[in-house]
Amino acid sequence: MSEYRRRSASAVLATILILASVFGIYKWAVSQKTEKPVDIIVTVKAKGQMIDFWKVFITGVEDAAHEFGANVSVIGPPSETEIDAQIKQLEQAIQEKPDAIVMAATDYNRLVPVAEQIVKAGIKLITVDSGINSSDSLSFIATDNIAAGEKAGEEMAKLLPSTDSSKIAIMSFVYGTSSQMEREKGVRQWLANHTQIEVANTYYSEGQLDKAYELTKELLSKDPSIKGIVGLNEPSTVGAGKAIKDLGLSGKVKLVGFDSSVDEVKLIEGGVLQATIVQKPYNMGYLSVKTAIEAVRGQRIPKQIDTESVIINEDNMYTEQNQKLLFPFVGE
């Protein structure tokens, strides 16, 4: 065969291969577009009194829904303490027969029966942020809250004299949620294993800034031996911080908190809040939808996904990476 014919044959073969490849990609793309969209209902812990955490979380949910072509609706009780309202909403959600439900549980135990109903109805269940006392969830997507609590305990220990047996209090949010229990466990665990710091008591703000404020003012007025407070979520931290500031105790009573918001940034800049443990709610929202879609389509999914947490204080808050965590994009 002449050199010309060999080159012509090679060119024809290459063209055929390219066309076959393009046709294969086209068929795959068409199959993806024609595949039935997945219907997902996402329940957050509070939709009426929505803190920045849930706003960012929902942004992640919406971005994933748009990217993967899913039909997603977000529901939630007016506040985190209205557990019965969340249960009723989920019972209604079951009647709508979505392909999957993503649940941030307001209570570790009381949401178990409705979780069982979800599974019995043939609906894929994914839990996020706060889990339940059950193995019904196919995947749990959240911060490792025990590890995050340990970070908060360690940061508090750095702020108090190592030679002094100091006393602190914990300002928690809603009694009975798994995230609250695990964070408190982490704080207490680290302090007990590494220090002589005494944890005086745990107080519950019910996720309300004003209640955290009043509880903190009363606590510090009655017990001046309290040298530090650990706030376990945004309202608990901000409420405690405002009380510390109003009592003229900024820097004297140390404060370590959780989450990020404009108010918390101001408290750090004002020397009231010494450190905060920041989660990644956008990642939680995005991954919860992505994982739900994968479960519905029969793909293997991990039983647990740790979305991690970061310690932010005055020394590192201005780094580019941490600024993205402190000021994430939140859709209006």
Side-chain angles (χ1 to χ4, degrees):
M1 183 182 291
S2 69
E3 181 67 23
Y4 172 78
R5 287 183 177 179
R6 279 198 297 272
R7 288 181 178 177
S8 297
S10 297
V12 170
L13 180 59
T15 302
I16 291 170
L17 290 172
I18 290 169
L19 289 173
S21 176
V22 169
F23 182 69
I25 292 170
Y26 171 78
K27 282 186 68 179
W28 176 85
V30 168
S31 70
Q32 292 297 302
K33 287 184 177 180
T34 57
E35 193 168 6
K36 178 182 175 292
V38 175
D39 295 324
I40 303 170
I41 294 177
V42 177
T43 174
V44 297
K45 290 197 289 188
K47 202 174 179 190
Q49 301 171 355
M50 197 179 292
I51 60 175
D52 285 358
F53 179 93
W54 293 117
K55 293 176 184 177
V56 178
F57 174 91
I58 291 171
T59 300
V61 165
E62 292 172 344
D63 284 355
H66 177 75
E67 181 174 341
F68 299 111
N71 298 321
V72 178
S73 58
V74 179
I75 62 175
S79 69
E80 293 190 24
T81 58
E82 296 185 61
I83 301 164
D84 288 335
Q86 187 180 44
I87 291 170
K88 287 180 181 178
Q89 287 178 341
L90 283 166
E91 288 172 343
Q92 177 60 41
I94 293 169
Q95 300 305 311
E96 295 176 25
K97 298 180 179 179
D99 298 303
I101 289 177
V102 173
M103 179 172 69
T106 51
D107 189 275
Y108 182 62
N109 292 303
R110 290 181 58 192
L111 270 292
V112 172
V114 76
E116 292 172 351
Q117 293 175 38
I118 291 168
V119 175
K120 285 179 182 177
I123 300 166
K124 305 296 184 185
L125 175 63
I126 306 295
T127 47
V128 65
D129 179 61
S130 294
I132 53 174
N133 189 15
S134 164
S135 59
D136 283 325
S137 173
L138 295 172
S139 184
F140 177 45
I141 301 158
T143 304
D144 182 336
N145 281 299
I146 293 178
E150 289 178 336
K151 289 177 183 177
E154 185 175 4
E155 285 301 296
M156 180 58 73
K158 292 176 183 176
L159 298 166
L160 298 177
S162 57
T163 56
D164 184 21
S165 180
S166 301
K167 188 161 68 170
I168 71 161
I170 294 174
M171 186 60 62
S172 188
F173 41 108
V174 179
Y175 180 82
T177 60
S178 68
S179 53
Q180 168 267 314
M181 292 187 288
E182 290 173 357
R183 289 175 198 175
E184 180 179 348
K185 179 180 179 181
V187 173
R188 288 179 177 272
Q189 193 167 269
W190 199 93
L191 292 176
N193 291 338
H194 298 88
T195 73
Q196 294 182 326
I197 294 173
E198 175 191 351
V199 179
N201 209 340
T202 299
Y203 301 85
Y204 298 93
S205 71
E206 297 182 354
Q208 298 175 23
L209 187 155
D210 291 343
K211 186 163 185 178
Y213 176 85
E214 295 299 335
L215 285 170
T216 304
K217 277 190 80 172
E218 183 180 357
L219 168 66
L220 295 178
S221 298
K222 287 183 176 179
D223 190 353
S225 67
I226 297 290
K227 303 300 181 186
I229 293 175
V230 176
L232 295 187
N233 76 342
E234 179 194 327
S236 301
T237 301
V238 174
K242 290 189 174 183
I244 289 170
K245 182 180 178 182
D246 287 354
L247 290 170
L249 296 173
S250 300
K252 296 174 183 176
V253 174
K254 307 300 183 183
L255 178 62
V256 174
F258 262 83
D259 298 327
S260 63
S261 66
V262 172
D263 285 335
E264 284 173 293
V265 170
K266 289 178 180 177
L267 290 173
I268 293 175
E269 291 176 333
V272 180
L273 176 62
Q274 279 68 50
T276 186
I277 313 303
V278 177
Q279 304 179 83
K280 299 180 180 179
Y282 179 91
N283 293 12
M284 281 189 210
Y286 182 93
L287 289 172
S288 68
V289 170
K290 179 177 181 290
T291 304
I293 293 169
E294 290 170 345
V296 170
R297 292 182 174 166
Q299 299 174 30
R300 292 184 63 182
I301 59 174
K303 188 66 178 175
Q304 188 160 345
I305 300 174
D306 175 15
T307 50
E308 303 179 341
S309 60
V310 176
I311 302 166
I312 292 182
N313 54 37
E314 191 175 20
D315 293 333
N316 66 13
M317 67 184 292
Y318 298 109
T319 66
E320 183 178 352
Q321 185 176 6
N322 287 344
Q323 284 286 293
K324 290 178 181 177
L325 290 174
L326 289 171
F327 300 104
F329 170 76
V330 179
E332 295 297 330

